[in-house]
Amino acid sequence: PFLPPSHYLGLIFVSDLNEDLKEMLESNKESLKLEAMKRIVGLIAKGKNAYELFPAVVKNVASKNIEDPNQLIRASALRVLSSIRVPIIVPIMMLAIKEAATDLSPYVRKTAAHAIQKLYSLDPDQKEHLIEVIEKLLKDKSTLVAGSVVMAFEEVCPDRIDLIHKNYRKLCNLLVDVEEWGQVVIIHMLTRYARTQFVSPWREDAVFDENSEKTFYDSEGRRVDQSKPYIMDPDHRLLLRNTKPLLQSRNTAVVMAVSQLYWHLAPKHELSIITKSLVRLLRSHREVQYIVLQNIATMSIQRKGMFEPFMKSFYVRSTDATHIKTLKLEILTNLANEANISTILRELQTYVKSQDKAFAAATIQAIGRCATNISEVTDTCLNGLVLLLSNRDETVVAESVVVIKKLLQTQPSQHSDIIKHMAKLFDSITVPMARASILWLMGEYCEHVPKNAPDVLRKMAKTFISEEDIVKLQTVNLAAKLYLSNSKQTKLLTQYILNLGKYDQNYDIRDRTRFIRQLIVPNEKSGALSRYARRILMAPKPAPVLQSAFKDRDRFQLGTLSHTLNSQSNGYLELSDWPAVAPDQSVRIVEVVELAGAPLLGKSKPGKSAEKFYSDSEEEEEEEGSSSEDSSSSSSEESESESESEENSDDSNKSSSSESDSEKKKKTLKNKKLQQQKPDSKDSHDLALFLILNITYLPPQIIQKALLLFIMTKFFSIHIVLAFSNQFVANCRCSLLCLCVFLACQFDAVSWHVRVSLQASFPVFVPETSHELLHRMTGKGLSAQYRFTRQPCIYGNSMVSLQLTLSNSSDQALENIHISEKSSTGQNIHRFNAIERLEPQASVTVSMGVDFNDSTQAANFQLCVSIQPAVGELLLPITMTEADFTKEQGKLLGMNESSATITMTPENISSQSVNRKVVSVANLGVIPSSQENIHR
């Protein structure tokens, strides 16, 4: 009754809206449920109360419409699951992490690495299972995963160095392409790893060979002999070489990480390369400056020559914060030497006049350090500090007294005038620490100032009650020392001061007074201790050493929190000492398994009878005097070798002449075994021989010999795998096959096992557009363009066929054009034969194959040549029926999806035009479709 009509209308509207949303959530259509969920989220975002819809929403938690193909959905699901800090779901979380670690998407695998750390903090008992996942992820070749899995390694098992051995070189090579956060983590981990695997490069007899690549690829490790000069391990050099470019990174943390790596691992003469990068960071924010200056302060203690050329970069600015000024002052003091001390002292004189009292006090301490470290300027610094005693600022005067006191301890007899001058200024100094320092000097060197010390004690007796505790304690000490050295003038004063101290409110002063009285005044109770009073109180004391506060900070790894705090923080991992003898470096060698040739498209494996068939063919060829001595024992190897002999005679001759003696012995033993297993004619019905016709690889001559041998032996069980790549060749060979089948049917001992695998079809569309690979300016006259031919690659079924056009636009002939044998990204590449000579203004077209490993990662060559494949060019067109297509489609797991958009006008939409558009984007085959609006 108290609400206006508009409010009632609003309540009715909200109620009706909630009912509509409930009906949509209870609907059988997924689209309505999804729309309702979106509206509810919108209501909550606007601050509306949607609690009435809670039961209806909970019913739809278990939905069948989950967008699994989207990698972001899978990663977000894992991230949410791992963030639930409930121990009961640990097994579910472990299963999710293991499944995500094998996901096709590197983003999901990266999220799995992050989840490992969360699970380990929730349940450390899962460590062994998590280590298995980490070991698997460390082998991942994606740069997106590298940093995250190394971070998980550092959190879970940083002591398991054995997991890094096989991945060390890969991490070094991937380091440049990893994101900046991952680079920092990897660099710190590799720093600790290198300190355990390599010997120290800081020896005087060290030899540094930059071009030593032999041991890097050698399978036999080399141990360092202490009796021989040190030679840097190639893996050690690999780490230094691959991290050096990161000194130009825009990220300050990366630059700092590389700098600490060089500081802890690099030879001393190579440390200068990090200096400019660290000085560059001083232009950043004050937080960055603070960390960088701390590390420079530690470095400048041991290596002054690194930063001396950049001394002006450490001059204090008026806009600097106090902690920045103090650190710069620390570095300037560390860099001081006989050559530059005059310049530094002039700079320090300016700093003493600063309005920042804490900074001015730190400057006086710096002057004292310069006077201690450089004897040539000790007198100059002392005279300057004495002049500061007349300063109006109490802080400056107090700090000057403290520093002078420390300097006078080195040569007190030569500076008695300074002590007398300080005694005259005693009345004007009010800072307790300064007054206490002067009293200590008077008592310590009372014999050098016999007239001034008693006078100072007389003044202190008048003001003893009102002085600070630290001044009272030094007054008691002064009275005791004067009583022992000049008792005639100071005996009564000493007794008076001791009586005052006996009843002081501070118990420290009372205890000190009673101790001194029993020590210096002989009586019956003191015993023999009073005889040694002079030796106890007047004993010579060593001069204090003024040194940097960063003197011992190098015990912590630079760039870490422990180094910043100068205290070991939680989770800090110490750097180990260099090993005396380098561990076996062969543990870092990764064996690369090179396939002898591409497998058959159908991936069929011949049985024993097939091996027997090829053994018989080899014997027949040997009897006929054939020159082919290196026939393979497997059908796939023979087909590939024959293909290479026809396509590329040079490669074939090389491969045929490179067979080792051990392989020949194995082949001979295998042939003997097959001959021993040769059956009698009565068992012919139980035997089977497999005819594998791979038309892509086998030339007609081999097929004719094989079929003739089949007919002669009367053992028939034909296993047919059709892989036709050319329609004309396919028709001819199909006719040959029909003839052979007709002849085989004339025999009574035939058993048929026919299997037809998926057939590679023709590319519907072949793009003519070429892409620039190498510009003539970059290649110094040599230009290169490439295009995808969409033809089955003759070098391997898993390879993509490329056509390269090389042109010489210079006025001189180019010689020996080839691709380096090593690729930086690890793809399997079949290179074209080296072009011996390319005349001016001439062009040549060559073909090559690249196995992109079903990824769009560019294939990079060491000659700065890269090819970026489109997703559509990684496909192979396959022909099949619509029913087979539907059946194969149902087997897809939906773990990855690649999409492209085609645009067409309504009037031009037809089956042919749509197909033409699709095949122009991807190398796909067209499947007959019974529905007009669906294209497969």
Side-chain angles (χ1 to χ4, degrees), residues 741-755:
V741 171
F742 173 77
L743 294 175
C745 291
Q746 305 303 316
F747 298 88
D748 56 354
V750 179
S751 61
W752 289 92
H753 298 281
V754 181
R755 172 191 167 194

Side-chain angles (χ1 to χ4, degrees), residues 644-872:
E644 290 176 358
S645 66
E646 190 172 80
E647 299 291 341
N648 194 336
S649 59
D650 295 339
D651 292 346
S652 176
N653 293 334
K654 293 178 182 179
S655 63
S656 63
S657 61
S658 62
E659 187 178 33
S660 62
D661 296 336
S662 60
E663 293 176 349
K664 293 182 179 180
K665 292 180 180 180
K666 292 180 180 179
K667 187 180 298 181
T668 304
L669 294 174
K670 189 173 184 179
N671 293 339
K672 291 181 179 179
K673 291 181 179 180
L674 291 174
Q675 290 177 1
Q676 293 174 359
Q677 297 175 358
K678 199 167 185 179
D680 298 333
S681 58
K682 62 178 180 180
D683 298 328
S684 60
H685 294 280
D686 300 328
L687 298 179
L689 291 175
F690 291 87
L691 171 61
I692 301 179
L693 298 181
N694 191 325
I695 306 302
T696 305
Y697 297 106
L698 287 181
Q701 296 84 353
I702 299 299
I703 298 177
Q704 292 175 4
K705 290 183 179 180
L707 293 174
L708 180 60
L709 184 62
F710 276 165
I711 297 172
M712 295 295 294
T713 53
K714 298 176 57 177
F715 304 130
F716 299 97
S717 176
I718 301 179
H719 182 147
I720 305 173
V721 177
L722 300 179
F724 298 148
S725 61
N726 184 281
Q727 189 64 34
F728 176 77
V729 177
N731 293 336
C732 296
R733 298 186 180 181
C734 280
S735 301
L736 179 60
L737 177 63
C738 293
L739 174 60
C740 296
V741 171
F742 173 77
L743 294 175
C745 291
Q746 305 303 316
F747 298 88
D748 56 354
V750 179
S751 61
W752 289 92
H753 298 281
V754 181
R755 172 191 167 194
V756 180
S757 65
L758 300 179
Q759 303 177 12
S761 62
F762 302 105
V764 180
F765 176 83
V766 180
E768 296 294 338
T769 305
S770 298
H771 308 277
E772 185 177 56
L773 182 63
L774 181 65
H775 193 268
R776 58 184 178 85
M777 298 297 294
T778 307
K780 298 181 180 180
L782 177 65
S783 62
Q785 292 188 340
Y786 71 93
R787 75 180 187 91
F788 294 94
T789 63
R790 293 194 176 181
Q791 296 293 335
C793 186
I794 62 175
Y795 309 117
N797 287 336
S798 60
M799 288 187 174
V800 177
S801 179
L802 294 173
Q803 186 181 78
L804 271 64
T805 302
L806 306 174
S807 302
N808 183 6
S809 58
S810 64
D811 55 356
Q812 297 180 354
L814 301 177
E815 298 181 354
N816 192 19
I817 303 174
H818 66 284
I819 294 179
S820 175
E821 296 181 358
K822 306 166 188 173
S823 62
S824 61
T825 54
Q827 286 97 342
N828 185 16
I829 300 173
H830 191 284
R831 304 159 190 82
F832 59 84
N833 293 335
I835 301 173
E836 296 181 357
R837 184 179 179 87
L838 185 60
E839 298 296 335
Q841 308 304 323
S843 299
V844 63
T845 301
V846 295
S847 62
M848 60 180 297
V850 180
D851 185 0
F852 290 97
N853 297 323
D854 293 335
S855 69
T856 57
Q857 184 177 3
N860 298 315
F861 310 110
Q862 288 189 353
L863 295 179
C864 302
V865 179
S866 63
I867 297 177
Q868 180 73 34
V871 177

Side-chain angles (χ1 to χ4, degrees), residues 208-213 237 241 269-270:
F208 303 96
D209 188 1
E210 291 285 349
N211 300 319
S212 179
E213 297 285 349
R237 174 58 63 191
R241 185 169 58 244
H269 69 277
E270 298 184 17

Side-chain angles (χ1 to χ4, degrees), residues 15 49 74 107 144 200 231 250 258 319 327 451 472 476 488 498-499 524 529 535 570 581 593 646 743 780 796 901 931:
S15 178
N49 193 346
R74 300 197 301 276
Y107 181 74
L144 194 64
S200 174
I231 298 179
R250 63 182 180 180
V258 178
T319 57
L327 285 173
K451 297 181 179 180
K472 291 179 180 179
V476 172
K488 293 181 180 181
L498 292 177
N499 289 331
E524 297 177 357
L529 186 61
R535 295 177 60 181
N570 186 25
V581 179
V593 181
E646 190 172 80
L743 294 175
K780 298 181 180 180
T901 303
Q931 297 170 292

